[in-house]
Amino acid sequence: MKITEHIRKSDGKTLFSFEIIPPKKGKNIKELYNNIDPLMEFKPPFIDVTTSREEFVYVEKAGLLDRKLTRMRPGTLGICAAIKHKYEVDTVPHVLCGGFTKEETEYLLVDCHYLGIDNVMALRGDAMSHQKYFEPSKNGHLYAKDLVTQIQNLNKGKYLHDVIEAENKADFCIGVAGYPEKHLEAPSLQTDLKRLKEKVKAGADYVVTQMFFDNKKYFEFVKAARAIGITVPIIPGIKPIAVKRHLQILPQVFRIDLPEELILEVEKCSTNAAVREVGVSWAIAQSKELLAAGVPVLHYYSMGKSSNIKKIASAIF
Ligand code: FAD
């Protein structure tokens, strides 16, 4: 079922969902199931599965560093299909511009449709570590908006190379990313919001936000989005802080601010177990306020670990 349909059918009740990251190459899917199992009691109508683009890894060879191009976390679609059928839950594969040609994207979407996957998140992806700016693959998309257009074309039965007539057209519900504290490359929040509106105009059905730790940022973002005519659901993405290093990593990678009060609480901790508790308490407080504000879904970034998400969900749902 489409995410928008899940939201419509919930009759104003806030839903629980979460995002998982495929395990690194060589791991077994059982590990993933062990992390999903404890969260199923909260009845998520959907689970997102991220996609990692190819990357360069450096391996030492005869005292020299050898650069290899590889995909460290393969299998998003396979994982989506496995989870969907094991738990009878909708799964949302993240589809990236980066690292994919338009043809490869089409093959992926055709496979999604074949497997009964009704929702996809359309994302640009980040620049590779050696690149300053994002570069699309040859014959790939530069912006998520263009990917949304390709998916919408498929929904109309339009393939890239019109050699077959689709008997059973796809009808994907499309999610896109939104940034309450603006995307790191955007010159201003207002410009970024205009770009978000373009994605919605191209056919995006809902938005999932980047993580934020101050709900005010989300409320203001939704208000500003509504003011420029973005009417689709805007789902807040929540990540509990789990290690002290997050104080440096999260602002650096995602260009988000952490509230002073949270920083002080984390700095007081002498172990990462204590940091995790602070992260859980903060996320519970955030979730309670968002729930009271009637958000459609509370969407959690699990980062492959479910124990803290379980504690939060137990306090909220
Ligand atoms: P876009 O919407 O294309 O925007 C990228 C930048 O370009 C923005 O600054 C925007 O303002 C600007 N822009 C857009 N259109 C134009 C235009 N026409 N002219 C000039 N500028 C323009 N990354 C992964 O690799 N894998 C994942 O699974 C993944 N999942 C994510 C899930 C969520 C909920 C979120 C919020 C992010 C996720 N990301 C993921 C990260 C995302 O890929 C990066 O943040 C990426 O840098 C931007 O992706 P986007 O889809 O927002 O890009």
Side-chain angles (χ1 to χ4, degrees):
M1 202 199 308
K2 293 183 175 191
I3 305 301
T4 44
E5 198 63 6
H6 281 297
I7 292 173
R8 198 180 57 76
K9 286 198 166 162
S10 72
D11 248 346
K13 190 170 166 272
T14 300
L15 302 168
F16 163 75
S17 74
F18 60 96
E19 173 189 289
I20 56 165
I21 300 177
K24 284 203 170 151
K25 247 181 354 202
K27 299 258 176 173
N28 188 295
I29 196 157
K30 271 201 102 167
E31 195 178 305
L32 198 63
Y33 290 156
N34 289 342
N35 270 308
I36 295 174
D37 284 345
L39 299 179
M40 293 316 288
E41 67 175 277
F42 306 105
K43 303 200 173 6
F46 64 94
I47 299 172
D48 274 52
V49 183
T50 66
T51 294
S52 302
R53 61 173 303 176
E54 79 284 18
E55 58 185 289
F56 282 112
V57 290
Y58 294 86
V59 282
E60 212 183 305
K61 212 169 153 190
L64 295 170
L65 281 182
D66 191 16
R67 197 167 82 152
K68 289 186 186 299
L69 189 63
T70 181
R71 261 179 214 280
M72 298 295 282
R73 298 174 190 271
T76 297
L77 184 56
I79 291 171
C80 280
I83 296 173
K84 179 178 167 64
H85 294 287
K86 178 175 164 67
Y87 297 101
E88 293 180 355
V89 64
D90 279 305
T91 46
V92 187
H94 289 192
V95 180
L96 300 184
C97 302
F100 294 88
T101 65
K102 292 174 193 165
E103 280 76 13
E104 284 166 338
T105 298
E106 183 167 289
Y107 303 149
L108 180 74
L109 293 167
V110 167
D111 288 352
C112 286
H113 180 49
Y114 177 74
L115 290 164
I117 287 169
D118 297 325
N119 305 278
V120 290
M121 268 299 275
L123 299 147
R124 189 198 69 178
D126 288 318
M128 290 176 77
S129 52
H130 68 287
Q131 294 168 338
K132 194 149 188 216
Y133 302 105
F134 175 83
E135 285 174 25
S137 299
K138 203 162 168 256
N139 196 28
H141 295 296
L142 181 56
Y143 295 114
K145 180 190 82 175
D146 308 319
L147 176 57
V148 173
T149 302
Q150 182 180 4
I151 303 167
Q152 278 299 357
N153 280 340
L154 213 66
N155 282 351
K156 293 179 197 135
K158 267 201 240 166
Y159 289 83
L160 290 172
H161 310 291
D162 259 339
V163 285
I164 54 166
E165 279 284 311
E167 280 170 24
N168 172 13
K169 271 190 278 193
D171 186 17
F172 291 112
C173 173
I174 306 168
V176 289
Y179 301 84
E181 296 176 63
K182 96 171 178 66
H183 182 256
L184 54 101
E185 294 161 27
S188 73
L189 182 57
Q190 206 52 34
T191 308
D192 205 26
L193 272 163
K194 280 192 216 152
R195 301 301 184 196
L196 179 61
K197 190 173 175 188
E198 287 168 9
K199 291 195 274 193
V200 174
K201 217 168 151 213
D205 298 289
Y206 69 100
V207 176
V208 182
T209 75
Q210 182 58 277
M211 66 186 74
F212 55 89
F213 292 89
D214 177 355
N215 286 350
K216 214 168 119 213
K217 301 265 168 65
Y218 169 81
F219 294 131
E220 284 170 1
F221 176 71
V222 174
K223 197 169 161 207
R226 300 299 181 228
I228 62 160
I230 297 172
T231 55
V232 299
I234 301 179
I235 298 174
I238 298 174
K239 179 187 156 47
I241 294 253
V243 289
K244 221 170 207 177
R245 252 164 31 95
H246 278 158
L247 291 188
Q248 281 79 46
I249 296 171
L250 301 179
Q252 189 189 14
V253 175
F254 302 110
R255 307 286 160 87
I256 51 170
D257 276 348
L258 300 183
E260 210 49 40
E261 199 188 330
L262 175 60
I263 299 169
L264 292 176
E265 284 302 310
V266 172
E267 279 177 345
K268 271 193 235 155
C269 299
S270 52
T271 62
N272 273 334
V275 174
R276 277 173 85 80
E277 286 312 311
V278 168
V280 166
S281 301
W282 193 270
I284 290 174
Q286 269 195 286
S287 303
K288 282 186 176 164
E289 191 183 18
L290 291 164
L291 188 80
V295 297
V297 183
L298 283 166
H299 185 70
Y300 295 94
Y301 295 114
S302 81
M303 315 299 275
K305 298 257 187 317
S306 60
S307 58
N308 50 358
I309 308 296
K310 186 176 164 87
K311 281 187 192 163
I312 300 161
S314 302
I316 302 294
F317 293 96

